[in-house]
């Protein structure tokens, strides 16, 4: 079926195009329609020039120097307002990632105490490795005893008042020294987030540079703290990912099965849903209802988590969540936290789909709340899956429209799995970088954003990188986009430049390595730190670069900030709300180089964005003399 210009401009993904056509047929509204109704978006907001921090406001600063107010009522300038708004976004993002990490620490604590209902410590090697980092005794101790000490140690990172965040010490010495010198070596995770909220209160910190430094400090507490804790403790509890085959796109939904989507972020929930769906009684019940079985699939980052560990298929990325419901084939959309559109409530009411919220932190209009807790995890997960199974009888087969599109992919590249694929040491990778077979390593991550044609920024940028022999690591919604485009298969090395192709063929790996969910960007940092340490240089000396072609969330702002703070040049594909302050723009895109040895660039054209990353890698190679 040929689609309208409008649909073709919204997404490059065929399944998404089909579903947008279906939404039109059924006269259902999606994020794209709401975006169009929102236009033109507020010009002050776009530039970051609106302040609502106190009730004398809202204040809006005129972007034109000769007309309109140049100061807020309290006297805050554009620079102050933009800097405050920006770092409040960092606080929001760092809080989200870190609270996710805290939940994992909580689950480990309960598991070690024997109080959790169905979890166990699966990766003892990782447990011991982490325990060593914290100088916890491991000799002759049970995994539960070690786990208890580890849980308490990582828990303490959040409320720490002084000192440093342990995992940040994985960074090269030079990097840590630089953080200390700039005053951005974070103390406790919560402390830095709270300090942003304090400093941005009316009448506290009114120095844009000082504000941004606190933003960077907090973001480091996220990347090397909260996010790293989320990743590492997930590995301890659920296993460290290893390469596994999976499938992506809406075609993973099945006509004859009970379809359950696990959407959100924390594997604490999705792991249990996956386990519960294997319960023989529930499978039998599904069959008694006329279904062929139970089909659990993932969406967004929790989808990445269960795909990385079990090969569970992923239905789609952020902008596909509404489309999944519109297939009419979803018995339950089970959600926990983050990136879940409140629009799902009304939409699910147009179908038989049950929208089930599970976290006390995240309730939604139109959702049934079945609160999840770790103590009774398996029991509750079975109840939730049971609700989905019962709902199969309510599916209206006449309303079902599942696009056939699916793509195979190979996922599961944790840092450990990469080293393993390399034969046990990083040397083959270092050699390939030195010889120039691999020009450099890119981390391409982040969301979808209706401001950009869905998946196009992700796919085009990544294709251009691999064509130029850049090995790409990916997480989050970028990973799902490039998997859909077929780039996450060993065969995709045919689309890579000659050098990268040779390396991929020799190792049997794809040119794009799926490293997990967004908190797993900590895995990318771990790899960069290991490479820098092996070469005896800082991360900022390496031919590496980051990109977030379609980013939208506060978490992405925090991510970009810690990636840059770690010394990695980063290209943003959507424009951040900072252009109202030439000073803040200058700090982020130029001055940051003098402080942390890296900066941001904004480039909405993905091919040009890739070009900036490649030029950066070439310059770093030259400086290293390789
Ligand atoms: Fe959310 Fe994590 Fe962004 Fe995707 S990439 S839209 S933050 S699901 Ni994390
Ligand atoms: Fe206006 Fe200042 Fe209050 Fe912001 S803090 S709303 S600029 S008076």
């Amino acid at each position: 079926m040929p689609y309208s210009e409008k649909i073709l401009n919204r997404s490059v993904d065929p399944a998404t195009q089909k579903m947008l056509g279906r939404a039109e047929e059924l006269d259902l509204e999606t994020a794209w329609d709401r975006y169009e109704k929102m236009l033109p978006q507020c010009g002050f907001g776009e530039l970051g020039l609106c302040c609502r921090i106190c009730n004398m406001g809202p204040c809006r600063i005129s972007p034109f120097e000769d007309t309109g107010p140049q100061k807020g009522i309290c006297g805050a300038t554009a620079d102050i307002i933009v800097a405050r708004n920006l770092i409040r976004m960092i606080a929001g993002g760092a809080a989200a990632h870190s609270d996710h990490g805290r939940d994992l620490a909580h689950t480990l604590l309960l598991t070690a105490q024997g109080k959790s209902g169905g979890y166990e410590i699966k990766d003892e090697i990782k447990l011991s490795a982490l325990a060593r980092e914290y100088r916890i005794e491991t000799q002759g101790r049970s995994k539960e005893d070690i786990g208890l000490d580890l849980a308490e140690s990582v828990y303490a990172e959040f409320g720490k008042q002084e000192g440093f965040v342990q995992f940040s010490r994985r960074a090269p010495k030079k990097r840590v020294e630089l953080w200390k010198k700039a005053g951005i070596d974070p103390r406790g995770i919560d402390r830095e987030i709270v300090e942003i909220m304090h400093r941005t209160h009316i009448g506290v910190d009114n120095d844009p540079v000082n504000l941004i430094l606190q933003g960077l400090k907090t973001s480091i507490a996220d990347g090397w703290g909260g996010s790293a804790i989320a990743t590492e403790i997930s590995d301890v509890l659920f296993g460290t990912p290893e390469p596994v085959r999976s499938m992506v796109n809406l075609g993973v939904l099945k006509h004859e099965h009970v379809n359950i989507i696990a959407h959100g972020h924390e594997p604490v929930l999705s792991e249990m849903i996956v386990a519960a769906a294997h319960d023989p009684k529930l499978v039998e019940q599904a069959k008694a209802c006329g279904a062929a079985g139970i089909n659990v699939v993932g969406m967004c980052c929790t989808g990445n988590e269960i795909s990385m560990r079990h090969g569970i298929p992923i239905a789609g990325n952020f902008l596909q969540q509404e489309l999944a419901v519109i297939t009419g084939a979803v018995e339950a959309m089970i959600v926990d936290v983050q990136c879940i559109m409140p629009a799902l409530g009304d939409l699910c009411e147009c179908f038989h789909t049950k929208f089930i919220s599970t976290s006390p932190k995240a309730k939604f209009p139109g959702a049934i709340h079945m609160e999840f807790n770790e103590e009774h995890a398996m029991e509750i997960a079975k109840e939730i899956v049971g609700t989905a199974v019962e709902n199969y009888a309510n599916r209206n087969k006449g309303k079902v429209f599942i696009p056939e599109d699916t793509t195979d992919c190979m996922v599961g590249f944790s840092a450990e799995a990469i080293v393993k694929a390399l034969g046990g040491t990083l040397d083959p990778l270092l050699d390939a970088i030195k010889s120039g077979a691999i020009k450099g390593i890119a981390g391409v991550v982040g969301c979808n954003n209706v401001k950009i044609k869905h998946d196009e920024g992700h796919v085009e940028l990544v294709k251009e990188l691999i064509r130029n022999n850049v090995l790409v690591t990916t997480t989050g919604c970028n990973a799902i986009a490039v998997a859909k485009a077929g780039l996450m298969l060993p065969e995709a090395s045919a689309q890579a430049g000659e050098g990268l192709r040779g390396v991929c063929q020799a190792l049997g790996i794809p040119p794009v390595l799926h490293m997990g969910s967004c908190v797993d960007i900590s895995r990318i940092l771990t790899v960069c730190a290991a490479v820098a340490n092996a070469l005896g240089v800082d991360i900022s000396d390496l031919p590496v670069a980051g990109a977030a072609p379609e980013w939208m969330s506060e978490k992405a702002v925090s991510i970009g900030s810690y990636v840059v703070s770690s010394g990695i040049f980063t290209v943003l594909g959507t424009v951040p709300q900072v252009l109202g302050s030439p000073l803040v723009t200058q700090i982020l895109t130029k001055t940051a180089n003098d402080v942390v040895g890296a900066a941001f660039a904004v480039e909405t054209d993905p091919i040009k964005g890739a070009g900036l990353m490649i030029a950066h890698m070439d310059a770093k190679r030259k400086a290293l003399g390789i």
Side-chain angles (χ1 to χ4, degrees):
M1 197 205 308
Y3 295 107
S4 64
E5 225 17 50
K6 183 166 131 188
I7 287 178
L8 296 175
N9 280 331
R10 285 178 171 183
S11 177
V12 294
D13 167 40
T16 297
Q17 291 170 356
K18 285 176 197 149
M19 290 315 299
L20 285 170
R22 178 68 176 160
E24 262 179 15
E25 246 168 63
L26 299 177
D27 201 19
L28 293 169
E29 181 190 82
T30 63
W32 285 275
D33 303 307
R34 292 188 295 274
Y35 171 58
E36 273 166 24
K37 287 184 194 160
M38 199 59 67
L39 294 173
Q41 285 178 296
C42 169
F44 294 95
E46 273 179 341
L47 296 172
L49 288 173
C50 173
C51 184
R52 281 176 41 253
I53 274 171
C54 88
N55 202 30
M56 292 194 285
C59 298
R60 320 192 293 183
I61 305 300
S62 165
F64 309 106
E65 263 172 42
D66 38 357
T67 55
Q70 296 300 308
K71 283 181 181 165
I73 295 165
C74 68
T77 59
D79 296 332
I80 295 168
I81 291 173
V82 168
R84 281 198 303 218
N85 288 341
L86 174 72
I87 74 167
R88 278 201 169 196
M89 288 188 87
I90 295 177
H97 280 150
S98 300
D99 212 33
H100 167 171
R102 188 193 331 258
D103 283 348
L104 266 305
H106 180 68
T107 308
L108 177 61
L109 187 74
L110 291 176
T111 304
Q113 291 170 334
K115 290 187 193 155
S116 75
Y119 301 98
E120 55 176 323
I121 292 172
K122 283 212 181 116
D123 188 341
E124 290 186 55
I125 297 174
K126 184 135 223 181
L127 176 74
S128 299
L130 299 176
R132 274 195 297 280
E133 280 185 78
Y134 276 100
R135 289 166 297 282
I136 293 166
E137 183 58 54
T138 55
Q139 273 298 321
R141 301 183 71 202
S142 72
K143 61 179 182 178
E144 285 75 21
D145 283 349
I146 304 169
L148 189 61
D149 284 354
L150 179 64
E152 281 169 354
S153 300
V154 294
Y155 235 162
E157 299 287 8
F158 296 93
K160 215 187 246 177
Q161 301 307 322
E162 292 300 338
F164 55 87
V165 176
Q166 182 61 47
F167 293 148
S168 70
R169 293 318 189 244
R170 293 172 174 180
K173 276 214 174 64
K174 280 187 189 164
R175 184 65 13 197
V176 174
E177 286 314 311
L178 179 153
W179 287 338
K180 284 188 187 160
K181 201 167 135 242
I184 57 171
D185 185 28
R187 301 156 294 182
I189 299 163
D190 293 353
R191 176 164 192 181
E192 305 309 347
I193 296 167
V194 167
E195 196 168 309
I196 286 188
M197 298 315 285
H198 179 192
R199 288 211 210 177
T200 53
H201 185 276
I202 179 176
V204 186
D205 197 353
N206 287 286
D207 179 330
V209 175
N210 209 40
L211 283 163
I212 289 173
L213 286 171
Q214 179 59 22
L216 299 184
K217 190 175 187 177
T218 307
S219 74
I220 296 169
D222 172 358
W224 296 87
S227 284
I229 290 170
T231 297
E232 299 293 28
I233 305 302
S234 296
D235 285 354
V236 168
L237 286 169
F238 310 122
T240 302
E242 287 186 11
V244 58
R245 290 279 175 155
S246 187
M247 264 191 343
V248 277
N249 221 345
L250 291 164
V252 302
L253 295 168
K254 293 183 180 169
H255 282 277
E256 305 302 332
H257 284 66
V258 174
N259 289 311
I260 296 178
I261 300 186
H263 175 23
H265 279 77
E266 298 183 5
V268 174
L269 172 71
S270 53
E271 280 278 336
M272 270 304 151
I273 297 293
V274 171
H278 284 113
D279 180 67
K281 272 197 197 139
L282 286 166
V283 174
E284 209 171 286
Q285 196 188 331
K287 289 187 176 154
C289 296
I294 304 174
N295 180 37
V296 177
V297 300
M299 178 142 261
C300 287
C301 279
T302 212
N304 287 323
E305 298 270 359
I306 48 180
S307 178
M308 290 274 286
R309 294 201 178 85
H310 307 285
I312 299 283
I314 306 176
N317 50 11
F318 177 71
L319 277 176
Q320 290 180 287
Q321 55 187 291
E322 293 176 286
L323 308 180
V325 175
I326 295 173
T327 63
V330 178
E331 273 57 57
M333 175 70 100
I334 304 167
V335 304
D336 56 4
V337 290
Q338 302 170 21
C339 304
I340 300 143
M341 291 190 190
L344 292 180
D346 281 348
L347 190 61
C348 285
E349 270 162 34
C350 304
F351 297 88
H352 75 301
T353 307
K354 290 216 188 306
F355 180 26
I356 303 177
S357 59
T358 58
S359 166
K361 296 173 201 168
K363 297 195 175 182
F364 296 83
I368 321 166
H369 191 67
M370 298 179 76
E371 197 157 307
F372 188 77
N373 69 54
E374 291 84 347
E375 285 92 335
H376 304 104
M378 193 45 153
E379 208 180 306
I380 302 170
K382 282 186 189 167
E383 209 178 308
I384 295 173
V385 172
T387 306
V389 169
E390 275 168 29
N391 196 28
Y392 183 74
N394 299 323
R395 188 192 291 184
N396 176 349
K397 294 212 164 136
K399 250 180 143 179
V400 171
F401 181 97
I402 305 175
E404 274 162 22
D405 311 73
T406 61
T407 312
D408 290 332
C409 53
M410 185 194 259
V411 304
F413 289 93
S414 57
E416 291 82 349
I418 292 176
V419 173
K420 213 170 175 185
L422 292 169
T425 78
L426 279 176
D427 294 347
L429 178 64
L430 300 179
D431 292 343
I433 293 173
K434 284 183 200 156
S435 76
I438 291 179
K439 186 189 284 288
I441 304 176
V444 190
V445 304
C447 325
N448 293 139
N449 186 327
V450 285
K451 291 178 177 173
I452 274 197
K453 196 192 281 186
H454 172 240
D455 286 354
E456 184 178 60
H458 288 313
V459 173
E460 291 309 314
L461 183 125
V462 168
K463 276 190 181 164
E464 180 70 5
L465 290 174
I466 63 171
R467 250 199 303 271
N468 285 279
N469 296 312
V470 174
L471 176 67
V472 175
T473 62
T474 171
T475 65
C477 289
N478 175 274
I480 301 170
V482 296
K484 283 187 280 179
L487 298 173
M488 226 171 251
L489 284 167
E491 301 88 277
S493 62
Q495 298 182 52
E498 202 187 328
L500 177 60
R501 193 187 319 141
V503 174
C504 291
Q505 283 170 348
L507 299 172
I509 58 170
V512 185
L513 303 180
H514 192 333
M515 294 193 76
S517 65
C518 291
V519 292
D520 292 337
I521 292 168
S522 63
R523 299 190 200 274
I524 303 181
L525 293 181
T526 303
V527 171
C528 288
V531 171
N533 286 332
L535 295 174
V537 299
D538 193 357
I539 297 174
S540 54
D541 299 321
L542 299 176
V544 300
E550 305 183 19
W551 74 276
M552 60 86 197
S553 72
E554 288 176 326
K555 291 181 285 174
V557 182
S558 181
I559 292 168
S561 303
Y562 73 66
V563 169
V564 165
S565 300
S566 300
I568 302 171
F569 168 66
T570 297
V571 178
L572 302 176
T574 67
V575 185
Q577 296 159 5
V578 300
L579 298 187
S581 165
L583 176 67
V584 171
T585 308
Q586 161 92 18
I587 294 171
L588 298 178
T589 57
K590 300 215 164 62
T591 327
N593 275 314
D594 307 330
V595 184
V596 291
F600 287 100
V602 179
E603 177 51 70
T604 53
D605 178 328
I607 301 294
K608 286 187 190 154
L612 294 174
M613 297 164 80
I614 293 163
H616 175 79
M617 289 174 191
D618 283 335
K620 292 292 170 184
R621 295 185 64 90
K622 204 165 163 211
L624 281 174
I626 56 175

